[in-house]
Amino acid sequence: MMQRLVWLALAGALWIAPAMAQQAFTPRDESPEEFVAGAGRNETFYACTACHGFKLVAQQGMTRAQWEDSINLMIRRHGMPPLDEKDREMVLNYLETAYPPRAPAGRGGFVNPFAK
Ligand code: HEC
């Protein structure tokens, strides 16, 4: 009986150790699920997080043309590998839909919760 318990504990430790090691080596503490859902989210997430957190992307709100400029800048200035036509389209569609320009400045982004 005792031996069986020890065995189980050992097996448990062996099983948990790799899971913990993997967690310790996770390069980013972000995952695609944290961001606005939509077609192309995972592709966009992994294309951009090769270099920086996706929060840097998600905190922007831009038009499609501005997103396009932004990606071109990543390619030109930061050495991002160019996306092929299909991926580029998917990434742009996602960014345009998920992170459009915010309400114009002046309205201040403040929404009165009582106004209806
Ligand atoms: C090859 C590396 C690389 C890749 C891939 C990359 N970026 Fe960047 N990006 C950078 C660097 C370097 C900066 C500037 C340093 C910083 O602010 O962290 C930056 C900054 C930015 C900024 C902030 C610009 C500003 O004006 O503050 C945005 C927005 C951005 N990237 C969007 C993207 C998007 C969208 C993708 C994916 C489609 C992407 N990046 C992929 C390297 C990259």
Side-chain angles (χ1 to χ4, degrees):
M1 176 61 192
M2 198 56 205
Q3 221 172 358
R4 207 181 131 88
L5 272 179
V6 168
W7 203 167
L8 273 176
L10 217 101
L14 283 177
W15 181 72
I16 284 174
M20 278 169 53
Q22 207 170 35
Q23 191 138 65
F25 283 103
T26 301
R28 314 254 165 217
D29 51 3
E30 295 179 340
S31 68
E33 289 73 33
E34 291 168 53
F35 298 97
V36 178
R41 178 177 61 182
N42 286 11
E43 289 79 1
T44 309
F45 180 87
Y46 290 113
C48 306
T49 55
C51 295
H52 50 67
F54 202 72
K55 286 204 179 70
L56 185 67
V57 177
Q59 73 198 7
Q60 322 278 330
M62 297 194 275
T63 63
R64 185 181 182 93
Q66 290 170 319
W67 278 120
E68 198 148 24
D69 284 348
S70 202
I71 293 178
N72 290 340
L73 187 79
M74 295 302 125
I75 294 170
R76 249 195 357 261
R77 180 165 319 152
H78 299 310
M80 172 176 169
L83 299 164
D84 67 33
E85 202 47 50
K86 194 171 100 319
D87 287 345
R88 193 182 169 88
E89 194 62 25
M90 183 157 48
V91 164
L92 278 172
N93 285 345
Y94 172 73
L95 290 171
E96 177 185 30
T97 316
Y99 301 105
R102 309 259 155 70
R107 302 240 306 273
F110 173 76
V111 179
N112 183 341
F114 302 106
K116 187 76 193 132

